[in-house]
Amino acid sequence: MRRADRLFQLIQILRRVNRPVTAAKLAEELEVSKRTVYRDIADLVGQRVPIEGEAGLGYTLSTFYSMPPLMFTQDELEALVLGVQLVQSLPDKTIGNSAKDVFAKIRDVIPPSFIATLSDAGVRIKPRELEPEKQDTRYLREAIRANKKIRITYFDRDDNKSERVVWPIILGYDEAYCLLIAWCEQRQQYRHFRVDRIRQIDRLDTSVPIAGNELRQRWELWREQTWLNKC
């Protein structure tokens, strides 16, 4: 790794954490010696990068520090390409189109020397033999963001129809399906609904009585407990 790239990566590591990082941890991730880390830290401080801390205790980067947000290493650009490919392969037309839009915006603002990395990245996801049916999730996303109840018309695996009022929590994905994870008022339990089996969605004016982040935390706790009970 070039020294300039290493200094940039060192700042990136400190930016993504909110607690001190030891020189040993930095050296391990950068694949250099601790002595090199100490020297790089001293060089950055000399360039007025607000790094705080000391050897043995760890280092942090001041929250007031700012740097150009769209400066990427080649590894980061390849991760971006791979991420866009993966999102576009999901059974969700809406988020796939959004991924393409993000990719186009980044391509328009990065330095010209990086364009080749985007167009000819050496990473790919495995092609699928059968592409999943793409779903339009706009209304579900809007309901989740607004923390509003919705009424859905749903058909189960046996094609039995039901209407339910649910509290939408998150959208989950695997290779084949998009799932709406929600609290079902009818069942008084958390339920996973395949989006391709939802025939109609009506957003209600009634707000979910629990804040969205708390509802997600409750679902995650329920999921963890349910999994432990099966072990």
Side-chain angles (χ1 to χ4, degrees):
M1 182 185 297
R2 295 182 308 166
R3 181 173 178 276
D5 291 338
R6 189 177 69 243
L7 294 178
F8 176 78
Q9 185 62 22
L10 178 55
I11 295 174
Q12 288 293 90
I13 296 171
L14 295 176
R15 287 180 73 192
R16 70 174 184 240
V17 297
N18 54 12
R19 61 183 184 276
V21 185
T22 65
K25 288 289 186 182
L26 293 169
E28 180 181 359
E29 182 160 349
L30 293 170
E31 298 182 347
V32 296
S33 67
K34 288 197 296 183
R35 184 176 181 178
T36 298
V37 169
Y38 293 140
R39 185 171 61 245
D40 288 347
I41 291 286
D43 288 345
L44 289 171
V45 171
Q47 296 173 34
R48 298 186 178 180
V49 177
I51 297 176
E52 303 170 351
E54 59 184 83
L57 297 178
Y59 299 94
T60 60
L61 184 66
S62 171
T63 56
F64 297 102
Y65 180 71
S66 62
M67 62 186 295
L70 289 176
M71 293 296 293
F72 297 103
T73 66
Q74 287 195 335
D75 286 342
E76 290 169 340
L77 286 172
E78 289 187 345
L80 173 65
V81 170
L82 195 61
V84 169
Q85 292 175 2
L86 182 59
V87 172
Q88 287 183 287
S89 72
L90 295 174
D92 186 329
K93 177 174 63 177
T94 310
I95 197 171
N97 289 336
S98 296
K100 287 193 293 186
D101 292 341
V102 169
F103 190 74
K105 290 177 180 178
I106 292 175
R107 185 178 55 208
D108 288 343
V109 297
I110 63 173
S113 58
F114 286 164
I115 297 294
T117 301
L118 284 180
S119 59
D120 193 29
V123 292
R124 295 288 188 276
I125 66 168
K126 179 182 177 181
R128 295 177 180 171
E129 295 181 1
L130 181 63
E131 283 295 316
E133 180 183 353
K134 301 290 186 178
Q135 306 299 319
D136 188 339
T137 61
R138 285 174 296 175
Y139 297 112
L140 293 173
R141 292 178 185 283
E142 290 172 3
I144 291 171
R145 293 175 189 140
N147 203 30
K148 294 289 187 180
K149 297 182 181 181
I150 57 174
R151 179 183 291 109
I152 62 173
T153 302
Y154 189 73
F155 288 80
D156 64 19
R157 68 180 65 184
D158 298 319
D159 212 30
N160 296 314
K161 175 182 175 182
S162 65
E163 289 192 358
R164 309 181 185 213
V165 174
V166 302
W167 306 356
I169 302 173
I170 61 174
L171 289 173
Y173 300 90
D174 61 18
E175 291 188 352
Y177 303 113
C178 175
L179 300 174
L180 170 65
I181 298 163
W183 173 263
C184 177
E185 290 190 351
Q186 178 181 338
R187 300 293 186 184
Q188 287 294 293
Q189 285 186 346
Y190 296 104
R191 284 288 188 265
H192 297 178
F193 302 96
R194 273 178 42 179
V195 174
D196 61 309
R197 291 177 176 166
I198 299 176
R199 297 291 186 267
Q200 184 173 338
I201 304 169
D202 297 312
R203 180 169 148 180
L204 307 179
D205 292 331
T206 309
S207 295
V208 173
I210 302 173
N213 60 343
E214 182 180 348
L215 188 59
R216 281 184 281 277
Q217 290 172 3
R218 292 188 184 186
W219 169 73
E220 288 172 354
L221 180 60
W222 169 84
R223 181 186 60 176
E224 181 178 344
Q225 291 174 341
T226 301
W227 182 81
L228 289 175
N229 289 336
K230 292 180 179 179
C231 292

